[in-house]
């Protein structure tokens, strides 16, 4: 967080509470944080870079 606080607040229209992003695993539904996940290149970036496997899903299917 910025030393003077967040640069913006995201308010819920209905009650004016502050909204927060919440990450969950799509396989098991567990809440996750940045410490629980690892980024990996997806098909969009692979296609952009002209790499093998571009346009395929994680299971190797053409997507």
């Amino acid at each position: 967080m910025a030393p003077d606080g967040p640069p913006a607040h995201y308010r819920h229209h209905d009650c004016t509470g502050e909204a927060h992003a919440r990450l969950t695993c799509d396989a098991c539904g567990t809440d996750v944080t940045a410490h629980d996940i690892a980024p990996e290149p997806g098909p969009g970036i692979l296609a952009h870079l002209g790499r093998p496997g571009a346009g395929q899903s994680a299971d190797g299917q053409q997507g």
Side-chain angles (χ1 to χ4, degrees):
M1 182 175 301
D4 296 326
H9 292 278
Y10 297 91
R11 298 283 176 200
H12 181 211
H13 291 295
D14 292 342
C15 72
T16 70
E18 189 167 357
H20 299 276
R22 184 173 176 179
L23 297 175
T24 57
C25 175
D26 67 351
C28 69
T30 301
D31 288 348
V32 296
T33 69
H35 297 286
D36 301 314
I37 59 175
E40 57 186 47
I45 192 68
L46 295 174
H48 176 74
L49 297 174
R51 298 277 173 89
Q56 291 183 348
S57 64
D59 62 3
Q61 299 296 313
Q62 193 68 25

